[in-house]
Amino acid sequence: MRGQILISRCLSLLSVVFGVLLLTFLLIHLVPGDPVEVMLGESATAADSAALREELGLTQPLVIQFGTYLKKLAQGDLGQSIHTKTPITTLIQARYPATIKLALVALALGLLIGIPMGIFAALHAGHWQDFVVTIISVRFSAMPAFWLGPLLMLLLAVWLGWLPVSGMDHSTSIVLPALTLGFGLSAILTRMTRTSLLEVLNEDYIRTARAKGLSERTVIVKHALRAALLPIITIVGLQMGSLLAGTVITETIFSWDGIGRLLVESIEKRDYPITQACVLIIALSYVLINLLTDVLYRFADPRMRHA
Amino acid sequence: MMAKTFAISVLVFWACAVLLARVLEVHGNEIDLQHILATPSLHFWFGSDDLGRDILARVLRGAEVSFLVAIVVTLVNMLVGVSVGVLAGFYGGKVDRLLMHITDVFLAFPGILLAIAFAAVLGPGMLNLVFALCLTGWVSYARLARGQTLSLRNRQHVQAAESLGATPFRLMLRHILPLLTSLLMVEATYSLASIMIAEASLSFLGLGIQAPSASWGAMLRDGVRYMLVAPHYVLIVGLSLMSLILAINLGGDYLRDQLDVKSV
C-alpha cells in the first residue's frame, strides 16, 4: 500500500518537474525583443551575436530547442556563462554548498528557537508569558529579510560589535545571515508548537499519564511532545521553500557567496543562462524537499502508515 | 479594538501623507550635495540620503509607488485568478485537471523566486515589475476560488437555480461568486501586504522601479550601503514599510474576524 502511494506521488512529481523544466526553459524567451542583443549589449558585433545565437540554439524551432535543453540537462550540462564561458555546472558546484550550509544552519536556529519558545508559551497558556511570545511570533513573522537583516547587522555587528558585518571569512560570519533567514521559520514554529502542544495536552492519554503519577516533565517530554511535534515535519518541509527563496536576498545583504547571490549577479550582468540554471536548481531542490517531507511524514506518523 | 484603531489610524495617516505630497508636488529628486547623509533636523525631518535628497519626501513618493503597485497587482491577480478558479471548479473535468497542473507547476517555485526570474528577464521598470508580480500572483486566487466553487457547486441553492434554467454564467456570477466575496476580501487584504513586500524585495535587488524614482526597496538597499555612517536612513525607511505592513495585516485580521472567514 505504502509503495503504491509512493509511486503515485513520484508520478505526479514527474509531471510537475516537467512543468518546471518547461517554464524555466521559456524564461529566456520572455526577454523583450532579441535576447542576444539584450545580453551582449549594443557594442556587440554581428559575428558575436550570431555566434551566441548559434550557441544558445536560438535559431532552431522552439520544440527542438526544448528537446536539446532536456538532453543537455540529462547529461548534467547546464550550458555556460555567456561572458566568462565557465561551465555553469562548475559555478553552481562552487556556490551551492554555501547555500545549503546557510539554509541548514538557519533551519537549525529556527528549530532551536521556535520549538522551546512554543513549549514555553503552551505551558504558560493564558498568562503574560504566553501573550508576549504570541505577539512576537505573530507580528514579527512578516519581517522581510531586507529589513530584518540590516536591523540585526546594525544591532549585533555595528553597535555591539559581536559578529562580523558580512562576508564569509570568519566562522561566526554565518550567524547573522542564518538568523535573518531562520527568524520567520522560528516564529511559525513557535505558533505551531504552541497550538499543537495545547491540543495534545487535552487528550485522554495525557490525563492517564498524569493519573499514573508520572512527573509533569515525563508527561510533557515523553508523551505530549512526541505527538505534538509531528505536524512540525510538514511545516518545516513547506517552510524550506521560503528559506531557499530567502537566500537570494539574505545572501545579497550579507555578501554570502551562495547560489542566491550567483542568481542576483547573473541578473545584473544579464547572463541569463546562469539565471535560468539557478532558478531551476532552487526550484528542483524545493520539489525534492517537498517529496521528502511527504515521505518522512508518512513514516513518522503511525496512523499514516496504514492509510 | 486597539488593533483596529491602530490599523485605521496608520493607514489613514499614510494615505493623507501621500495625497499631501501629491498636492504639494513633493518629488524628493532635488540633489543637494552640500547636505549628504544629513541626520534628521528641522530642515530635513527624516535626514537626507547619499545625494542629499530629502528622505521624507522620498519615503512619501515611495509609499505612493508601493500603494499603487500593490493595488493594481492585487486587482489583476484577483480578476484573473478568480475567473480561472471559478471556471475550473464549475466545469471540472479536463479543464480543471489542466489548470490544477499549471498551478502545481507555479507553486513548485518557492516564494518570490519566480517573480525574481520573471522580473529579471523582463528587465527593470515599473510596468515589468507589475507584470512579473501578476504572472506569479494569480495562482493562489485560482486555487482558493476553485476549492470553494467545488463545494458550492453542489449546494442546494445552486442546483435549484440550475433546475430553474439559469445559465452557467448566471450561476457562477449570481449564485457562486457572491458567496466568495468575504473570503476574497480577506485574502486580498493580506495580499496587499505581501505584494508590498514583494515589490520592495524586487526593488531591493535592483529589479523594480529605477532611479531617480523613489521606491522603498531601492532606498533600503542604499540605506544598507551607508549603514555604517548614516544608520537613520535604513531605519526610517524600514520602519515606514513595517508600520504599513503591520497595519494592513491587522486590518486583514479584523476583516477576517468580522466576516467570520475561517478558511484563510
Side-chain angles (χ1 to χ4, degrees), chain B residues 52-95:
Chain B
R53 296 173 295 193
D54 187 13
I55 292 180
L56 173 63
R58 291 184 70 75
V59 162
L60 290 176
R61 295 318 294 252
E64 190 183 329
V65 170
S66 206
F67 268 125
L68 209 68
V69 170
I71 291 171
V72 171
V73 172
T74 302
L75 285 179
V76 173
N77 282 344
M78 196 150 72
L79 194 71
V80 176
V82 172
S83 315
V84 173
V86 170
L87 279 174
F90 189 85
Y91 286 110
K94 273 185 191 158
V95 184

Side-chain angles (χ1 to χ4, degrees), chain A residues 120-138:
Chain A
F120 177 79
L123 295 183
H124 293 89
H127 294 275
W128 65 269
Q129 295 99 324
D130 174 35
F131 183 72
V132 172
V133 171
T134 311
I135 287 282
I136 293 176
S137 64
V138 172

